[in-house]
Amino acid sequence: MRDMNRPNLLAMRPDDLVAHLKAREVVTSDGEVRRILAHVISLGRDGFPDARPVARRVTDAVEATTCRDRPRIVERAADPADGFLKYLFQAEDGALFEAVRIPLQRPGTFTVCLSSQVGCAMGCVFCATGRLGLVRNLDAAEIVGAFLAIRDEAPGRVTGAVFMGQGDPLANAAAVTQACRVLSDPCGGRISARAISVSTVGPAARIRAYTAQAHPYRLIVSMGSFLPSRRARLLPVVGRESLRDMAAALREHAEATRDRVTVAWVLIDGVNCDDAEIDALVALLGDVPLRVNLIEVNDVRPDGFKAPALERLNAIR
């Protein structure tokens, strides 16, 4: 287990590293810390022999007082049908979590689906992670480390990240937003802030807090259903919250960001795919600028949820 007195460089932006060194009475320049972080995060290199021009006393201090550990890749599983590549990572304490490399329409470009927690406390009935329960939060370095591990072996350019893996990002908001800052930093992951999406089921109070912090990252809200009784059944932790309050929070976010909010709708045959859902969506959110992301449920259990037939899916579209 690493020494907790040695913070991980992968969770730092330039101002974080400056503050870290200043607290240890190491004088450095903005340019030096930027070169160090670009060397480790942007370029994915280990050690500092060629992190120049940086004073040796600075690199020695960074070497002695920080670490740059990444989670270990345990397994890779490729899907030949769609080109997705799922990664299983192991943290230093043995905790396991996943991330996925997703090919984009433009050849040679990818986005990465990242986890924010080991397990999840939200208990959404259509989600395999929800059935695991919550083990712990991931820290920012573990999140960034998973991204870098995938980026560094991708056969092309990773241009974005979406927090739709294990866990609810807004339940671990501090670590997730710090990871987003590192991923979008010119000395970090070098991806556009607008190419980072944070997905949540709520509750509305967390969405309002996220809106108040004025983050530049896109927001995705998974609704489950637009009818109160169904939503309460599908999302047992947040589903009993007032749908009107959730709609108000989304409206406030759209107004504050002057952008559309993406609503994710996991489609489950015989559960939430009828015309009543469409009518409820229009009644609830018809005045909110939206993108609606239709997601076919993926349940590997023999007696699990099924996706709607293609005809019904097209009718909903």
Side-chain angles (χ1 to χ4, degrees), residues 139-208:
D139 64 35
E142 290 169 328
I143 295 168
V144 174
F147 174 89
L148 297 179
I150 295 174
R151 180 204 66 183
D152 289 353
E153 63 178 39
R157 186 173 170 229
V158 174
T159 60
V162 55
F163 284 85
M164 292 187 75
Q166 295 177 338
D168 191 287
L170 295 193
N172 185 22
V176 167
T177 53
Q178 180 64 14
C180 290
R181 292 184 186 104
V182 173
L183 293 176
S184 60
D185 195 278
C187 302
R190 293 182 178 176
I191 60 177
S192 169
R194 300 299 291 165
I196 298 174
S197 296
V198 174
S199 178
T200 184
V201 295
R206 287 180 180 164
I207 293 172
R208 288 192 168 99

Side-chain angles (χ1 to χ4, degrees), residues 28 73 86 116 137 180 193 196 247 262 315:
T28 185
I73 299 174
K86 181 182 287 187
S116 55
N137 289 333
C180 290
I196 298 174
T262 297

